[in-house]
Amino acid sequence: MSEFVVASDLAIEYRTPRGAVRALDGADLRVAAGASMGLVGESGSGKTTLGMAMGRLLPSNARRVAGSLSVGSQSLFDLDDDGVASLRRRQLGFVFQNPMSALNPTARIGKQIGWALERKANQREIHERLQQVGLRDVPRVAHAYPHELSGGMAQRVVIAMAIARRPRLLVADEPTASLDASVRGQILELIKSLQREIGATLILLSHELSMVARTCDVVGVMYGGRVVEAGPASIVFNAPLHPYTQALLKAAPGAERPGERLTAIPGMPPVLIAASVGCSFAARCHLADETCRRTRPEVRHLPDRQVACHHIEAASPRGGAGALDPS
Amino acid sequence: MDAGRNSILSQCSKAMRADPLMAIAAGVLALLLCVGVLGPLLPIGDPTAIGIGPRLAPPSPAFPLGSDELGRSFLPRVVGGILVTFQVAATAVLLTGALGAVIGLIAAYYRGRVDTIVARLADALFAFPAIILGLMTASILGPGDLSVIVVIVAATLPLFIRVVRSVALSIASREFVTAAEVAGASPVRIMAMHMLPNLMGALIIQFTYALSLGMLIESGLSFLGLGTQPPYPSLGSLLQLGATYLAIAPWLVFAPGVTLALTILAINLLGDGLRHAIDPLPGRALK
């Protein structure tokens, strides 16, 4: 399968009054066309920066330090403004965390759907778009202002706007974080089914492992601005290799037996101000040694996944997994 | 459709009920403007007609507000003055509002160097006292309505730019602006369709304050003889007349003075009321 999104060694920093903060520190990511990839990580792991970079939607104080990022076959950081505008218009759709701030409070829903479509749309087309995202009582919704909708309905509208031009890449940044637990599942289902329907590649940014496990075929785990482990969701979640992925899974509720305690990861995620010298997880990792603190682990491409760790043999949950020769 | 307009109307009436002072202010302002606009139709005489009465006469049934130094009835002149002062100020402030909105939006949307330059220029303009600007403009353009308009624009433009810019900066960082960018909307479209409607509230409030400031500037410059020229009356030039004859005809100063004070007070109260009605965070408003 061809790869639709390729990030290689991407480093991005934000210039702040108190110095630069490195949000991405050499992120490597490959997403196959048509796949659904979940990017998981704590706050500050760089997943939002990576997601927004895919539309070159980073704030003006962000600067690419190194590496490249391409969407489709276009290298994003080599495009001029017109190129970016046309890429966004033709290929990208974004679903944001808070649907209320993703809708213009001063315009009716129908009008905003019309703005999102490629060309002038008539009322019937607008109503079809709203039906497509599972909204009932479509004429009333089309005539309403955003504040008159519930969070779940508003998020459906945002999704309708994101897929209005049949994008080839759909980036959803914590699309259910601000919604009621009862509608989260429905919204995820909707995103997934629409993604399949239009044949788009989906990037789902989330800190909820269970959500990613249910929704995505592929998963990328981010830590300290790098993708530390990525591969098919079933493999990464069932047999995690990177110590961070393992710790994350132990800390996540869902699969524990009755009476079993969840294990929190000690320490805090790092705030990088420059490229990290060693492995950024070393300070919190039970396997860390001098090598981890001195040299950056390179991304190793195994047959079934990629992982960036010096100790994947020792970390292997299955003991000595013989097939996992470092390349 | 009418739902939006209805809701604005109902919001206004709700705000007026909650704030009776604002309702009174709106009523007073409406009354003064009606009198000003309908002035030429009222049976009180032409404000610019040649005087035929006694000079500086005290108020009497024939001259309800007395007569001026040329024997003209003072009442039509005060009524005409309301309209002149309001027209000049409103024209200037509408112009400033449009200009300030465009400049502020551009500064907030593009940020960076454009923003810095606009903000500094606004600060520099703000540092000039309006009277100095007025003397300067009048000596370049000559006294008259045009130079008054220029002065009011120069004096209120920084206020508009600052308010629009600060509100627009926060709107520009909202996600619907990003969503519009993803949808391929042009900067002009984003500013006009997405940002401008969201800062209309702030713009309207600023408009009321700028209007009262504009009327004060107009009256001030006319008082100094730099504004509206004879034979047309303005509240400022009428005040000046009253001040000249204060010792022998003290009643002349009252009508234009009270009218001007009342108008500006009404506009300011209306502005305060609107701010309370529109501002989503009243707790943070300055007391």
Side-chain angles (χ1 to χ4, degrees), chain B residues 40-226:
Chain B
L41 303 175
L42 297 176
I44 50 172
D46 180 0
T48 56
I50 303 290
I52 45 158
R55 300 169 60 218
L56 301 173
S60 65
F63 302 104
L65 295 178
S67 68
D68 70 4
E69 88 285 17
L70 299 175
R72 292 176 292 196
S73 173
F74 211 54
L75 177 64
R77 291 193 61 79
V78 171
V79 169
I82 299 173
L83 190 61
V84 167
T85 300
F86 188 79
Q87 262 178 345
V88 170
T91 310
V93 172
L94 276 175
L95 204 64
T96 322
L99 213 58
V102 170
I103 298 175
L105 274 172
I106 289 176
Y109 184 71
Y110 288 103
R111 309 254 187 118
R113 199 166 295 160
V114 182
D115 186 28
T116 313
I117 291 170
V118 166
R120 290 304 141 256
L121 284 181
D123 285 348
L125 201 54
F126 197 56
F128 277 100
I131 291 299
I132 305 275
L133 273 174
L135 292 171
M136 211 168 68
T137 320
S139 64
I140 297 170
L141 297 175
D145 290 348
L146 178 67
S147 56
V148 175
I149 289 177
V150 170
V151 174
I152 296 175
V153 169
T156 53
L157 189 60
L159 302 176
F160 274 100
I161 291 179
R162 282 181 177 178
V163 167
V164 170
R165 179 178 161 271
S166 70
V167 177
L169 273 174
S170 77
I171 295 169
S173 65
R174 303 264 290 276
E175 282 162 342
F176 63 83
V177 172
T178 313
E181 281 170 353
V182 174
S186 66
V188 173
R189 195 185 163 85
I190 288 175
M191 285 187 254
M193 310 283 265
H194 292 279
M195 293 171 68
L196 187 59
N198 282 292
L199 51 82
M200 279 316 274
L203 211 53
I204 289 169
I205 295 165
Q206 196 57 32
F207 188 84
T208 59
Y209 289 132
L211 189 60
S212 63
L213 189 62
M215 290 183 72
L216 269 181
I217 292 174
E218 199 281 339
S219 304
L221 291 176
S222 292
F223 190 90
L224 296 176
L226 303 173

Side-chain angles (χ1 to χ4, degrees), chain A residues 92-114:
Chain A
L92 297 178
F94 277 79
V95 177
F96 299 96
Q97 184 168 350
N98 184 350
M100 284 307 174
S101 74
L103 294 172
N104 186 338
T106 55
R108 294 176 195 286
I109 299 298
K111 199 171 182 185
Q112 298 197 45
I113 298 274

Side-chain angles (χ1 to χ4, degrees), chain A residues 47-325:
Chain A
K47 55 185 192 301
T48 299
T49 301
L50 185 53
M52 290 297 128
M54 289 173 195
R56 248 181 59 183
L57 290 169
L58 296 171
S60 55
N61 63 340
R63 209 163 55 90
R64 177 182 62 132
V65 184
S68 66
L69 176 63
S70 68
V71 170
S73 50
Q74 290 172 297
S75 176
L76 266 184
F77 292 101
D78 297 334
L79 289 175
D80 57 8
D81 288 352
D82 289 342
V84 172
S86 119
L87 175 89
R88 288 174 182 164
R89 198 162 51 231
R90 302 227 175 93
Q91 312 221 2
L92 297 178
F94 277 79
V95 177
F96 299 96
Q97 184 168 350
N98 184 350
M100 284 307 174
S101 74
L103 294 172
N104 186 338
T106 55
R108 294 176 195 286
I109 299 298
K111 199 171 182 185
Q112 298 197 45
I113 298 274
W115 287 341
L117 291 165
E118 282 156 296
R119 56 205 157 67
K120 280 256 173 289
N122 57 33
Q123 204 179 17
R124 195 178 52 81
E125 279 177 280
I126 288 169
H127 287 186
E128 275 171 15
R129 300 296 172 145
L130 291 173
Q131 251 150 21
Q132 194 184 9
V133 291
L135 283 164
R136 274 166 300 204
D137 199 4
V138 164
R140 191 183 70 78
V141 173
H143 194 67
Y145 283 97
H147 69 268
E148 298 171 301
L149 302 184
S150 71
M153 287 163 86
Q155 191 62 295
R156 284 175 194 270
V157 173
V158 172
I159 292 169
M161 287 170 67
I163 62 156
R165 293 178 315 283
R166 302 183 77 85
R168 298 192 55 206
L169 176 64
L170 190 59
V171 179
D173 185 3
E174 306 254 14
T176 60
S178 64
L179 301 180
D180 274 2
S182 56
V183 295
R184 283 184 186 176
Q186 297 169 16
I187 292 290
L188 278 181
E189 271 312 305
L190 179 70
I191 292 177
K192 186 114 194 261
S193 70
L194 289 171
Q195 174 237 339
R196 284 211 198 94
E197 193 180 317
I198 63 175
T201 307
L202 172 69
I203 308 263
L204 178 70
L205 313 177
S206 177
H207 59 259
E208 276 180 65
L209 293 174
S210 58
M211 182 170 129
V212 168
R214 262 184 294 142
T215 319
C216 300
D217 321 325
V218 215
V219 63
V221 180
M222 293 198 66
Y223 187 84
R226 302 188 78 187
V227 179
V228 294
E229 183 165 4
S234 54
I235 296 178
V236 172
F237 283 147
N238 290 326
L241 284 184
H242 197 283
Y244 177 64
T245 317
Q246 295 171 356
L248 208 56
L249 285 167
K250 272 186 206 145
E256 68 281 359
R257 285 178 291 277
E260 188 178 308
R261 278 174 179 270
L262 296 174
T263 322
I265 307 176
M268 293 282 286
V271 175
L272 297 174
I273 52 170
S276 64
V277 182
C279 174
S280 52
F281 188 57
R284 302 166 78 183
C285 181
H286 66 286
L287 292 173
D289 58 17
E290 272 310 290
T291 326
C292 297
R293 282 182 270 273
R294 290 260 171 78
T295 49
R296 269 164 88 87
E298 290 305 310
V299 174
R300 296 197 234 180
H301 292 277
L302 313 181
D304 59 347
R305 70 180 102 185
Q306 68 174 58
V307 59
C309 177
H310 291 298
H311 297 287
I312 52 175
E313 294 79 15
S316 169
R318 299 269 181 276
L324 299 177
D325 284 325

